[in-house]
Amino acid sequence: DVDLRRSRAAMSTAVSLHVDMVCEGCAGAVRRLAAKIDGVTDVDVRLDAKTVIIRGAGLSAEDVREKIAKCGRETRVESAA
């Protein structure tokens, strides 16, 4: 079980995005869009910092950016690891 958890953690990706969110409605739209992305395990939306961190397995930063940009707000990748 420990080896399985380690391999899952090793495959996990975190994508940090800057999203020009201006209200809680924007943040909610981002959460809903992120929840629909295959492989996503965690979404951290920080409205005050206009930052979204999406964690999951096998995520492509550009694919995540494209899907989150459907909220209609300017979206760019800050980092991916």
Side-chain angles (χ1 to χ4, degrees):
D1 287 324
V2 172
D3 290 335
L4 183 58
R5 280 188 296 233
R6 284 185 189 146
S7 71
R8 283 185 185 153
M11 294 179 355
S12 184
T13 303
V15 177
S16 178
L17 302 172
H18 174 85
V19 182
D20 189 29
M21 300 174 286
V22 295
C23 66
E24 191 55 46
C26 297
V30 168
R31 284 186 195 96
R32 287 187 297 277
L33 287 166
K36 294 179 180 179
I37 300 171
D38 287 339
V40 168
T41 57
D42 183 57
V43 179
D44 182 11
V45 177
R46 299 175 187 169
L47 180 58
D48 57 336
K50 298 186 178 191
T51 301
V52 180
I53 301 170
I54 300 172
R55 294 176 186 85
L59 300 178
S60 156
E62 187 55 29
D63 286 346
V64 169
R65 188 204 64 77
E66 285 179 9
K67 289 176 179 166
I68 298 302
K70 290 179 181 178
C71 72
R73 310 305 298 179
E74 181 183 335
T75 305
R76 70 175 183 272
V77 176
E78 289 187 332
S79 67

